[in-house]
Amino acid sequence: MIKVTNLSKRFVTDRGEVKAVVGVTFDVPKGAFFTLLGPSGCGKSTTLRCLAGLEKPEQGEIIIGDTVMYSSEKGISVPPDRRDAGMVFQSYAIWPHMKVFDNVAFPLQVKSKGLNSAQIREKVKKTLELVRMEGYEDRPATQLSGGQQQRVAMARALLQEPRVLLMDEPLSNLDAKLREQMRVEVRDLVHRLGLTTVYVTHDQLEAFAMSTKIAVMFEGRIVQIGTPWEIYTQPANKFVAVADFVGLANFFEGKVVGGVGASGRGTIETTMGTLECTVPEGMSTGGKVLISARPEVVQVSREKPSGGGAIMLGEVERAIFLGEYFDVRIRIGAETVRARLGPYFEVKDGDKLYVQIAGSSCSVMRSESVASAKQ
Amino acid sequence: MSIGTFSRTTFRGWLGGLVEPRKMVLILVTLFVGAGALIPIFFLVWDSFKNVYVGNLFDTSLTNFTLKNFREAFADPRALGMLGDSFLFAFGSMVVAFFFGGTIAFLVERTNTPLRNLMYSLMFIPLVMPGMLKAIGWILFLSPTIGLFNKVWFAMGFVDPIFNAYSIPAMFWVEGLSETPMTFLFLGAALRAMDPSLEEAAYTAGAGKFTTLARITLRMMTPALAGMALLQFVRGIEAFEVPLLMGASAGIHVFATNIYFAAREINPPLYGQAFVFSLVLVSLALMGLVLYQRMMGRAGQYATVTGKGYRPRLLDLGKWKPAATGFIFLFIIFAAVLPFLILLYASFLPYYQVPSAKALSVMSWDNYRSLLGRSDVLLTIKNTAILCGIVSVGGMIIATIVSWIVVRMRTKGAKLLDGLVFIPYAVPGIASGFAFMIVFLTFPNPIYGTIWILVIAYLVQFMPIGTRFTHAGVAQIKAELEEAAASSGASLVTILRRIIIPLILPSLIAGGLYIFLLSAKVMSSAAILYTPDSTVLSVMIFQLWNEGSIPMVGSLAVLMIIAFTILTILSRRVGQRRAMTSGL
């Protein structure tokens, strides 16, 4: 439904030129919920605004449906009002000088699709019901709460029955509780309507909870595209940013010592012991790697466990009780490993514990790609 | 323990609290603000209903109230003409200011006009130039006898002049040009304060550029436009210098000139009429300002959650781009360059004549030499420097203290102070100058006839302007920053010195400069309060103009403009550097 190819956008600021988006390419199939996830300033909003036509990129191609919306090669740039893309803004952009009805009906008022005023009224009513704001038609926009403004903004974007729905951090101005509720509501709504959605957020929980696919962006580039599960369990083989930005991770260096077979699994020697892991394609014996293991896959026990994987004895450097779990830092030689222990483990600083990491719950990246990302 | 001792210790404690230096400062400032704001108003109201004349300026009896002054003031058939002329002049200046200011604000903020970012610096050029000099400059172009434009017209074979400097349209043309920078800055700020996503939402909802402009941008701007129109109209009603120079000689009068003539030029002075005109003028201004506040309150409702700081989409002007840049420069030429050039030209002449080969041959530096040799000129420069220096520095100190009280204390007294400090804004300079004259004539004192009465009058008059700068500055400082200093053991004075003043220094410098320039530029209250020993530059220019020595006016004007320009540039430099280092 959406096809973005090699998109680039620069900004000229007081401090010189900023490359906001660099060669971004992605596809969004019909009906998908596609999220651009990344830290602030990574270019995710700019990418979305290029899709909407609010920014003009320097290079690349944007196709929505079967219409070329932008192409640097063909010299095409369709203005935003003719892209048929509904957009929800971070600030909601509810016009304060209009009532709720006029805010929502605006798209049909400016582009009459052959509807008379009674039909428009009916459509507004139905759309407001969708976002659970029925009966608010005559309320002045200045008398809405943040959550209500958000719903009205959704209704306005939905009313035009757009080909694609674009959302720029729509939930970030809501308080935590409402945000969690709206996450589910928005996802269910666009899913029910079968809308193709591109969503921008810096909140990984939001991205995981809502998306069918996530593109992680860092410094203007997409560093990984995948399902939420793939992004979390197999952070990119390219950039540390993904593993580190999306959740927490323990990193340690290792070296492939052999056994890379057809299965793709190999034996890796690390400072934490020897692990059996899936190694990146094309890696051979002797290659240097970086291994990441999420804190929640680090197994901890007081007695020495049996079985394979890396088993080391360490000492608790600091244990912080967070209610749901203990956030524990365990020192093993020169390394520190972070683990999460259940609230009933009753760990305290100085405890001696066995740490076990299973190779199957680690992901392995090439060392050189890590080094280049860190530069 | 007896009740007597108890109350005595409490009283002593209370008194002790009173003489505590920090409270003394607060009380003194409040007293000054209160007295400065209320005493002139009281005199204007009281004396309007009393039979006042030289020798009986303040009748304290509670009887003897009369409507005689009103009857006399409005029995004069010219009074009605004055009303009509005042309104026509004010409306015309508003239209001119909106035509230039509104158009330029739109071009700068919403189109891709080339060089548009220069505008904010360029606007300081007309701001530096006193309105009086703009008027004189334009008279030299539009006068039916000596005006350059008319001379060119005659040279083309026409007999009747095409322009008349001494007419209401010429007056509001000049006044409107003077008011344009303020209109531009205000409307430009309103456009910039608008969340760009409000316009973007309209685009993505399918609205084109013009629909968005009409249904979103313009509608969002309505309160700001209406408020500004009202404010400009009030300023037009209050205007003094332009009507005095361009209208008075042709018998065109407005409120301010009427007050001036009744109080100072007519002998014996018609104080009763001056009071009545002042009272009506203040009432009109007050009504306008209250209405304005209401409107801005509504505009405040339009404030929304702001999103990311993207620049709004700019309208592509295409082949009209050079025309748009030309329009902006045309305004600068009209408002500053043309008047300055003709004053500069005049300043080298022995007597005024239109440009010719002969005129060029007699040009010399003589005027400048003789100016700087005149003792009255030097005294005037000294007076002006004292006035501007004390009023700007003192004004900003008072403003800082007032703002701190108003923003931080949030008590009923603080609210009252906030209201008091605003009152002089509704009292036009000419009316407040007249009120101060009566106050100081009534009570024997050593400062009447000295520069110090001007200092007091200007301090009071510019209080609301100073606090406009400091209110915003102090409100930006989070209370925690001061509380952190206090909990580190800093006293109030230390907090002021180490935390507040450094943080609001950019506002202080900007405000101080603005008041300095206003004190030097604005003649209104000085015109009523000056004596030969306390003449200031604005008054001297007016006197030289009345004597007909245009070349002298020119050379003094050129020196003034150069001095103001240097000062503005220096202060902006300092202000910007401070702004950068303090991270504000």
Side-chain angles (χ1 to χ4, degrees), chain A residues 53-101:
Chain A
L54 297 169
E55 294 304 337
K56 197 174 168 184
E58 278 86 39
Q59 200 199 325
E61 192 174 60
I62 299 170
I63 301 173
I64 298 179
D66 38 25
T67 319
V68 179
M69 293 299 179
Y70 175 80
S71 169
S72 53
E73 223 166 85
K74 296 174 194 148
I76 298 173
S77 181
V78 177
D81 49 306
R82 273 181 269 144
R83 289 204 181 189
D84 199 11
M87 184 145 167
V88 180
F89 293 83
Q90 185 182 21
S91 61
Y92 319 131
I94 297 300
W95 299 303
H97 59 291
M98 298 181 187
K99 286 179 187 165
V100 167
F101 176 83

Side-chain angles (χ1 to χ4, degrees), chain B residues 396 399-400 402-404 406-408 418 464-478 500 503-508 584:
Chain B
M396 290 319 285
T400 307
V402 168
S403 292
W404 189 82
V406 169
V407 175
R408 284 288 179 268
D418 198 19
I465 292 169
T467 47
R468 210 166 50 197
F469 284 89
T470 50
H471 265 29
V474 174
Q476 270 179 4
I477 305 175
K478 289 200 186 92
I500 300 174
L503 280 173
I504 62 168
L505 203 63
S507 321
L508 287 183
L584 273 175

Side-chain angles (χ1 to χ4, degrees), chain B residues 78 81-83 85-86 89 171 175 236-266 270 273-274 277-278 281 428-431 434 523-524 527-528 542:
Chain B
R78 281 174 307 176
M82 182 276 288
L83 266 176
D85 288 351
S86 278
F89 168 74
M171 283 159 61
E175 185 69 24
I237 288 282
E238 294 176 353
F240 176 57
E241 282 101 330
V242 172
L244 180 67
L245 286 157
M246 300 179 80
S249 60
I252 302 166
H253 278 290
V254 297
F255 279 102
T257 51
N258 251 3
I259 297 167
Y260 171 73
F261 279 98
R264 184 104 201 199
E265 295 274 305
I266 296 172
L270 301 169
Q273 296 199 16
F277 285 129
S278 295
L281 181 53
I430 198 82
F434 174 58
M523 180 173 67
S524 52
I528 288 215
F542 178 57

Side-chain angles (χ1 to χ4, degrees), chain B residues 392 396 469-470 501 504-516 567-568 570-579:
Chain B
S392 57
M396 290 319 285
F469 284 89
T470 50
I501 291 176
I504 62 168
L505 203 63
S507 321
L508 287 183
I509 291 174
L513 168 78
Y514 192 66
I515 292 181
F516 191 100
L567 199 75
T568 308
L570 279 180
S571 309
R572 289 193 78 203
R573 282 258 171 94
V574 176
Q576 273 167 1
R577 201 166 52 227
R578 293 287 186 159

